[in-house]
Amino acid sequence: MKIVVIGGTGLIGSKVVSKLVGQGHQAIAAAPNTGVNTLTGEGLAEALSGAEVVVDLANSPQFDESAIDFFRTAGRNVAEAEKAAGVRHHIALSVVGTEKMQEAPYFRAKAAQEELIRDSSIPHTILHATQFMEFLRGIGQSAIVGDEVRLSHAYIQPMAAEDVADAVVAVALAEPANRIVEIGGPEKFHLDEIVAKVLAFDGDTRRVVVDPDARYFGLRLADDSLIPGSDARLGSTRFDWWLANVPPPPKK
């Protein structure tokens, strides 16, 4: 099949494209640096011509109110191009707990994206993923206050990017579910404890402090805000293996 991967040059997208090509499909990485801009519509029609499946992995560059405009504008442009091209399956990657975290602008934006997808006539699957293990270091950095890292004690069930990509590929090659499908990691941790393990592995001596008022994307977490349901499809990569074997990204 011809499968267009919007955001196909990013962390998950590049893995998805590689895996699809390895299985014999024509996978197209659609991103601004490949001449496709979902906000302006530039290159969309050409990229989607002849495509059967579109995988949308693009994310807003901002996490404030502007994210709502990003997802609405990009979503409408993609849907119009899909209808014109006769696309038969639209897949979008979203976030576990989106419906529980509507106080935060970013999650309201994701909800708006999902609403556009459901309202379109195109068969779809919305993947709700837990946080990626690759983002744990960033969560720690964002929580630094002085010499401390202040984090919620809520649960997190992180998933390795490789497993996320495998799940996306499996959905792209399946029939549309026309619903939300949850995916997550195989293990559950407290957020403060797993970030402390990453910092210790990296030799960062800052103390991790449990703070019930610590914010995550601007909101206070409930214990289960970031945890998928019992029917979630789980990846196989365990945290300890990931930490020891997947190198951190190079520092900019």
Side-chain angles (χ1 to χ4, degrees):
M1 291 188 292
K2 178 179 177 179
I3 302 173
V4 176
V5 182
I6 297 171
T9 59
L11 172 65
I12 306 300
S14 57
K15 295 178 186 295
V16 169
V17 169
S18 177
K19 290 174 186 291
L20 288 170
V21 170
Q23 294 187 42
H25 299 282
Q26 181 189 2
I28 307 298
N33 58 358
T34 66
V36 180
N37 189 320
T38 57
L39 285 178
T40 66
E42 177 190 0
L44 260 180
E46 295 81 1
L48 268 59
S49 178
E52 297 180 57
V53 177
V54 170
V55 179
D56 188 357
L57 306 175
N59 203 4
S60 169
Q62 305 295 330
F63 298 111
D64 57 16
E65 294 288 349
S66 66
I68 297 175
D69 289 335
F70 174 91
F71 284 118
R72 282 180 174 160
T73 301
R76 291 188 185 108
N77 288 339
V78 170
E80 288 176 8
E82 286 175 331
K83 290 173 184 176
V87 169
R88 64 174 185 83
H89 190 186
H90 176 93
I91 296 110
L93 185 61
S94 193
V95 186
V96 160
T98 289
E99 69 285 354
K100 302 175 188 175
M101 298 188 284
Q102 290 298 292
E103 294 174 37
Y106 178 73
F107 293 106
R108 290 199 297 274
K110 293 302 288 183
Q113 177 192 25
E114 294 177 20
E115 183 179 15
L116 277 173
I117 292 167
R118 284 190 294 269
D119 289 346
S120 112
S121 59
I122 301 161
H124 67 272
T125 304
I126 299 172
L127 268 178
H128 270 198
T130 58
Q131 186 58 269
F132 307 158
M133 292 179 188
E134 284 75 5
F135 292 166
L136 291 171
R137 289 181 172 90
I139 291 173
Q141 289 296 314
S142 69
I144 293 172
V145 179
D147 293 328
E148 297 177 335
V149 179
R150 305 188 70 86
L151 288 165
S152 166
H153 197 54
Y155 286 105
I156 188 171
Q157 198 167 324
M159 192 174 189
E162 202 70 39
D163 288 348
V164 177
D166 284 338
V168 171
V169 168
V171 167
L173 301 181
E175 291 300 310
N178 292 310
R179 62 180 177 87
I180 291 171
V181 174
E182 289 191 325
I183 58 175
E187 302 167 289
K188 188 163 72 170
F189 301 87
H190 288 291
L191 180 59
D192 58 295
E193 293 172 359
I194 194 171
V195 171
K197 289 183 178 184
V198 174
L199 295 180
F201 181 86
D202 291 346
D204 191 323
T205 59
R206 275 177 284 227
R207 188 166 70 102
V208 177
V209 176
V210 174
D211 182 352
D213 292 320
R215 295 302 193 257
Y216 179 88
F217 283 95
L219 57 84
R220 183 174 176 174
L221 293 174
D223 280 351
D224 64 348
S225 295
L226 306 177
I227 298 300
S230 59
D231 60 346
R233 302 175 186 179
L234 304 183
S236 61
T237 304
R238 302 183 78 81
F239 170 72
D240 286 343
W241 184 93
W242 172 87
L243 187 60
N245 291 277
V246 177
K251 292 183 179 180
K252 296 180 180 179

